[in-house]
Amino acid sequence: MSSRTLPLLFINLGGEMLYILDQRLRAQNIPADKAKKVPIADWIEADRRRVMNDIITTMFNKKFLEELFKPQELYSKKALRTVFDRLAHASIMRLNQASMDKLYDLMTMAFKYQVLLCPRPKDILLVCFNHMDAIKDFVKDTPNILSQVDETYRQLIEIYSPLSSGEFQLIRQTLLIFFQDMHIRVSIFLKDKVQNSNGRFVLPTSGPVPYGTQTPGLIRLFSCNGEEVKRQQFRNGGNYAGVLREGSFDMFGDRVIKLGTNMYSVSRPVETHMSGTSKNSAQHAKQVNTAPNPLAKEELNLLARLMGGLEVQKPGNADSGFRVNLFATDEEEEEALISRPNDLSFGVINIQATKDLQANAELAKIMGEFTEAGEPCTSPSSKGDDLLAMMDGL
């Protein structure tokens, strides 16, 4: 398992979330000249920009990114889902449980598809840059948010550019292990025939080969002295093509590969359905996790503290927030909420994400009792230690 996987997972999933929300907000958009004539539940362009800006500001919060980029293991699936639940509600927008489920399913399956189709493990970074380029375009008219995005670019380049091919392969393997039990059927993938009815993706046997490699179809035999002595061709069974240039790993430039770009730029209805394998996995997970895990609540509390740098904006009254529906109609959303397997429902855990100075002081006092006076701490830093230290600073 790679300790450098979490930032790439978070940024790419966040990019997919922004693509989906932007598409849905535009679909519900009302022209400004008609805004005064429509009910408050409808959207105007200013609201869409505000939601996008608020979510991106929260996503690229400096304190959160400092902690995110530290070498650490991936968060659990439930903990990561909690982070994105909070992130999606970092503005005036509200999603009910069914729409949030659908949003997360689309995010995870889209990035899983991109990871599977990456020609080289290193190209995962190009996928990340494609997401970053789109995010940058969302906030191109907001300089203060743009500077946060540019700083993230610099951190990505600084941390990941020196990594070897083997380290990128370990990152890719870690991502695939994270996604291995997720087999949600997505209508776009099914219509494009890149996903089977069981939720598994269809890998192509044709197309461009990885940069720096040759198209298959030739066997070369060499002597003991390294001299080529024979060539033999064979049918490769596909239609392969060479790649003439490598994508840019700089802040600007042509990424060449299209994985990670916005597949919702053309308005298409998107549906998600649970495959039988995913349902069985969910049922098995429920059987295994019937007893509450006290560590789960602690991890969620730590994550809430971590993302507590920017408070979630809560409307003054129930009618002042905007609800976004990821389904075609409200009836479909209600039906999905009713038919959603109970096995996938998350137990409600109350998390405290406010700056409680008294609690921090008590925590510091308790922590101090575990270390003798004047004795330096020599134990290696862990994710929990880093988060606790960050809690004290909030």
Coordinates of all heavy atoms in Angstrom, one line a residue, residues 19 51 101 135 152-153 193 238 244 276 280 308:
Y19 N -17.7 18.2 -11.5 CA -18.3 18.0 -12.9 C -19.8 17.8 -12.8 O -20.6 18.4 -13.5 CB -17.6 16.9 -13.6 CG -16.2 17.0 -14.0 CD1 -15.4 15.9 -14.3 CD2 -15.6 18.3 -14.1 CE1 -14.0 16.1 -14.7 CE2 -14.3 18.5 -14.5 CZ -13.5 17.3 -14.8 OH -12.2 17.5 -15.2
V51 N -21.9 28.3 -5.3 CA -21.8 26.9 -4.9 C -20.4 26.4 -5.3 O -19.7 25.8 -4.5 CB -22.9 26.0 -5.4 CG1 -22.6 24.6 -5.1 CG2 -24.2 26.4 -4.7
D101 N -26.1 9.7 -2.5 CA -25.7 8.3 -2.8 C -25.3 8.2 -4.3 O -24.3 7.7 -4.7 CB -26.8 7.3 -2.5 CG -26.9 7.0 -1.0 OD1 -26.0 7.4 -0.3 OD2 -28.0 6.5 -0.6
I135 N -10.9 22.4 -12.7 CA -11.2 23.1 -11.5 C -10.7 24.6 -11.6 O -11.4 25.5 -11.2 CB -10.6 22.4 -10.3 CG1 -11.3 21.1 -10.1 CG2 -10.7 23.3 -9.0 CD1 -10.7 20.2 -9.0
T152 N -1.8 24.1 -5.0 CA -2.0 22.6 -5.0 C -1.2 22.0 -6.2 O -0.6 21.0 -6.1 CB -3.5 22.3 -5.1 OG1 -4.2 22.9 -4.0 CG2 -3.7 20.8 -5.0
Y153 N -1.3 22.7 -7.4 CA -0.5 22.3 -8.5 C 1.0 22.1 -8.1 O 1.6 21.1 -8.4 CB -0.6 23.4 -9.6 CG -1.6 23.2 -10.7 CD1 -2.7 24.1 -10.7 CD2 -1.6 22.2 -11.6 CE1 -3.7 24.0 -11.7 CE2 -2.6 22.0 -12.6 CZ -3.6 23.0 -12.6 OH -4.6 22.8 -13.6
K193 N -20.9 1.1 -24.0 CA -20.5 -0.3 -24.0 C -19.0 -0.4 -23.5 O -18.3 -1.2 -23.9 CB -20.5 -0.8 -25.5 CG -21.9 -0.8 -26.1 CD -21.9 -1.5 -27.4 CE -23.3 -1.4 -28.1 NZ -24.4 -2.0 -27.2
G238 N -5.5 -6.8 -32.3 CA -6.1 -5.5 -32.0 C -5.6 -4.5 -33.0 O -4.8 -4.8 -34.0
L244 N 2.9 9.7 -30.1 CA 4.0 10.5 -30.6 C 4.6 11.4 -29.5 O 5.8 11.7 -29.6 CB 3.6 11.4 -31.8 CG 3.0 10.6 -33.0 CD1 2.6 11.6 -34.1 CD2 4.1 9.7 -33.5
G276 N -25.5 -7.0 -8.7 CA -25.7 -8.1 -7.7 C -24.5 -8.3 -6.8 O -24.6 -8.5 -5.6
N280 N -24.3 -8.0 -2.7 CA -23.8 -9.0 -1.8 C -22.7 -8.5 -1.0 O -22.5 -8.8 0.2 CB -23.3 -10.2 -2.7 CG -24.4 -10.9 -3.4 OD1 -25.5 -10.8 -3.0 ND2 -24.1 -11.5 -4.5
G308 N -12.7 21.2 9.6 CA -13.5 22.3 10.3 C -12.9 23.7 10.1 O -13.4 24.6 10.7

